Amino acid sequence: MRTSNLKNVGGHATYKDRCVLNKIELRKKEGCVRMLTTKPRGTNDLLPQELEKWHYVENIMREVATLYGYQEIRTPIFEHTELFQRGVGETTDIVEKEMYTFLDRGKRSLTLRPEATASTVRAFLENKLYADPLPVKLYYLGPMFRYDRPQAGRYRQFHQFGVEVFGSQSPSLDAEVIAMAMDIYERLGLHDLVVELNSVGCPQCRRAHKKVLQDYLQAKLADLCPTCQGRFEKNPLRILDCKNGRCQNLVAEAPKLEQMLCEECRRHFQLVQDYLQELQVPYTLNSCLVRGLDYYTKTAFEIVAQGIGAQSSIGGGGRYDRLIEECGGPSLPGIGYAMGIERILLTLEEQGIEFPLQTKGQIFIATLGEKAQKKGAKLAQELRKAGLMVERDYLERSLKAQLKAANRLQVSITVILGEEELAQGEAVVRDMQAGGQKEIPLQELVSYLVKKFRGGKQDE
Ligand code: AMP
């Protein structure tokens, strides 16, 4: 019952009305509690165990980026809405229906970044990085936001690693960027990936193709899905890329852009393929690959993983030779790609790829009694300063419980400091794997442990 249905609310609420009001209040409270204990739809908590895998994946990405000569850039999580409208494109799904846009307290329209290319271009221009020697090669890693329908592999907050190169139109760069993406996947151990490749030409070839495509689709317009009917006038090229089965059948025989590329775009496309062959990166041509962002010119590519369900694209990108100028900068070409970290992790899991075991801890310091606790705290600090991973007891547990905790942490060494050992100026060093233990004088303990972990062989 709604509060508006209550006749006597105000001065003379009946007992029944008061009960209903209490119920409404209770439900509101329950709703409120639920909001406090549930994350927003389409977002994920990344817990410590999961994050070990993230760090492993991110480290490989950073390492490879450095090997290929890229430097990191970090841009704001939110930007002026106009940047994405202009930079991503008014007719894209992202701008039309997926952006998290809000007014700040100063009534400015801001948007949580749905992707990072537009932001990187903005930062490149604002910071005049075009004055640096070209090409400028940047990489980024971080969260993106799209109001999409959540499902496995598709989230509202997700993470991308990506690169952008500004200032070169060499087709060899297009091939290298694709090879670099594949290098990352391969180092992670992923297999059965397909590089799908296409050229979406330049505005000149697109204009000619748009007309021919519209003529072809005119008679089929009523049979297209509502989204594609909307795309017919403004952006019919996107119809080729529709995931709806009926649309896919209708466009199977449609004139493809590939057949209408201008001389320059055709040459570029051929050279990209030649270089990919040179770099031994297998690829498949897909003349329906358009990708959802308006800014692409010439090369467009996507990397697809087999067997991870509907959300099978684990990365994609392309060339955008007009975007920098479109955003108010000099006429400079650009190319980039982005890969989804959540989808890479899903694929790793799907393909049964093991992550290298992380060291949980090297040393556990078990202490008994107040004096030993003080000594233990000091020792832990000295060992950490010497670069060793140390855990210790913070709960004043029994020795048995502390050893159990050390086992759970899978440390290799437990140092036991009891009143007795302290009195003798010694500590017990127990090898948790081999099982033996020995007494080491306290003043030699740090150098003994450092040597044990660093130098290895000094023992016995
Ligand atoms: P895009 O920026 O749309 O070209 O996407 C690049 C990559 O980001 C895709 O290949 C996916 O791996 C990933 N990605 C895009 N959208 C999502 C999403 N909503 N959830 C998770 N990953 C995504």
Side-chain angles (χ1 to χ4, degrees), residues 42 94 98 114-117 140 144-161 185 291-293 295-296 301-303 311-317 337-344:
I94 292 181
E98 294 175 2
E115 54 100 67
T117 302
Y140 57 81
M144 309 293 155
F145 306 84
R146 294 184 195 172
Y147 190 80
D148 210 336
R149 202 161 35 80
Q151 53 180 276
R154 195 204 275 163
Y155 310 102
R156 291 182 174 169
Q157 176 176 336
F158 60 99
H159 296 75
Q160 286 184 337
F161 163 83
Y185 298 128
R291 300 191 37 79
L293 309 152
Y295 50 60
Y296 288 120
F301 65 94
E302 202 148 281
I303 294 148
Q311 304 306 312
S312 59
S313 160
I314 58 167
Y337 70 73
M339 46 178 79
I341 300 187
E342 285 84 353
R343 285 204 202 156
I344 289 177

Side-chain angles (χ1 to χ4, degrees), residues 168-214:
S168 162
Q169 46 190 340
S170 167
S172 74
L173 174 63
D174 304 29
E176 187 181 278
V177 153
I178 297 172
M180 176 188 172
M182 289 306 283
D183 196 350
I184 293 176
Y185 298 128
E186 277 159 21
R187 280 171 201 251
L188 288 168
L190 293 172
H191 47 82
D192 292 329
L193 306 180
V194 177
V195 176
E196 295 189 354
L197 183 70
N198 194 20
S199 172
V200 292
C202 62
Q204 190 197 328
C205 3
R206 276 223 283 268
R207 214 171 299 123
H209 175 256
K210 182 175 176 183
K211 174 90 188 60
V212 178
L213 184 61
Q214 279 173 327

Side-chain angles (χ1 to χ4, degrees), residues 119-333:
S119 309
T120 311
V121 167
R122 198 260 320 127
F124 173 74
L125 295 178
E126 190 168 344
N127 298 287
K128 300 190 176 51
L129 299 186
Y130 47 79
D132 292 352
L134 296 176
V136 171
K137 296 162 76 181
L138 302 167
Y139 81 87
Y140 57 81
L141 230 166
M144 309 293 155
F145 306 84
R146 294 184 195 172
Y147 190 80
D148 210 336
R149 202 161 35 80
Q151 53 180 276
R154 195 204 275 163
Y155 310 102
R156 291 182 174 169
Q157 176 176 336
F158 60 99
H159 296 75
Q160 286 184 337
F161 163 83
V163 305
E164 312 293 347
V165 187
F166 304 128
S168 162
Q169 46 190 340
S170 167
S172 74
L173 174 63
D174 304 29
E176 187 181 278
V177 153
I178 297 172
M180 176 188 172
M182 289 306 283
D183 196 350
I184 293 176
Y185 298 128
E186 277 159 21
R187 280 171 201 251
L188 288 168
L190 293 172
H191 47 82
D192 292 329
L193 306 180
V194 177
V195 176
E196 295 189 354
L197 183 70
N198 194 20
S199 172
V200 292
C202 62
Q204 190 197 328
C205 3
R206 276 223 283 268
R207 214 171 299 123
H209 175 256
K210 182 175 176 183
K211 174 90 188 60
V212 178
L213 184 61
Q214 279 173 327
D215 288 347
Y216 178 86
L217 290 173
Q218 185 72 56
K220 305 172 169 34
L221 190 54
D223 296 326
L224 292 171
C225 74
T227 314
C228 284
Q229 289 182 14
R231 287 168 175 160
F232 180 79
E233 273 307 325
K234 283 192 271 176
N235 198 354
L237 193 61
R238 285 289 320 281
I239 300 175
L240 296 180
D241 209 5
C242 182
K243 300 292 174 271
N244 179 308
R246 215 172 54 191
C247 295
Q248 283 178 351
N249 285 338
L250 288 170
V251 299
E253 301 294 319
K256 304 290 169 1
L257 187 50
E258 189 195 344
Q259 297 142 9
M260 301 187 65
L261 293 177
C262 67
E263 197 40 46
E264 157 62 16
C265 290
R266 189 185 309 281
R267 203 183 125 267
H268 188 96
F269 192 32
Q270 186 52 54
L271 282 170
V272 174
Q273 295 177 60
D274 293 349
Y275 274 106
L276 281 175
Q277 281 156 25
E278 205 62 44
L279 302 180
Q280 300 186 327
V281 177
Y283 61 90
T284 310
L285 293 181
N286 176 357
S287 56
C288 285
L289 177 73
V290 176
R291 300 191 37 79
L293 309 152
D294 276 357
Y295 50 60
Y296 288 120
T297 50
K298 294 182 177 163
T299 311
F301 65 94
E302 202 148 281
I303 294 148
V304 178
Q306 313 289 314
I308 59 159
Q311 304 306 312
S312 59
S313 160
I314 58 167
R319 183 164 272 289
Y320 44 83
D321 287 347
R322 298 168 58 84
L323 180 64
I324 298 176
E325 198 175 358
E326 191 73 14
C327 290
S331 170
L332 281 175

Side-chain angles (χ1 to χ4, degrees), residues 3 23-34:
T3 31
K23 246 191 203 163
I24 291 171
E25 279 306 308
L26 195 69
R27 258 190 237 137
K28 263 198 216 155
K29 262 192 202 147
E30 278 169 8
C32 197
V33 169
R34 213 171 315 120

Side-chain angles (χ1 to χ4, degrees), residues 368-425:
L368 284 172
E370 209 171 301
K371 260 196 187 156
Q373 270 170 29
K374 275 200 186 129
K375 183 75 196 159
K378 184 160 176 255
L379 177 65
Q381 212 57 8
E382 282 170 12
L383 290 169
R384 288 167 183 152
K385 285 194 175 160
L388 298 179
M389 281 168 71
V390 182
E391 256 304 354
R392 64 186 187 90
D393 178 58
Y394 302 98
L395 302 173
E396 298 177 27
R397 288 172 287 195
S398 68
L399 181 61
K400 194 171 162 212
Q402 291 186 52
L403 290 175
K404 215 167 142 191
N407 262 327
R408 196 161 16 85
L409 290 167
Q410 297 174 3
V411 295
S412 354
I413 294 286
T414 298
V415 175
I416 304 168
L417 289 172
E419 303 281 349
E420 219 173 280
E421 286 83 12
L422 274 191
Q424 287 167 19

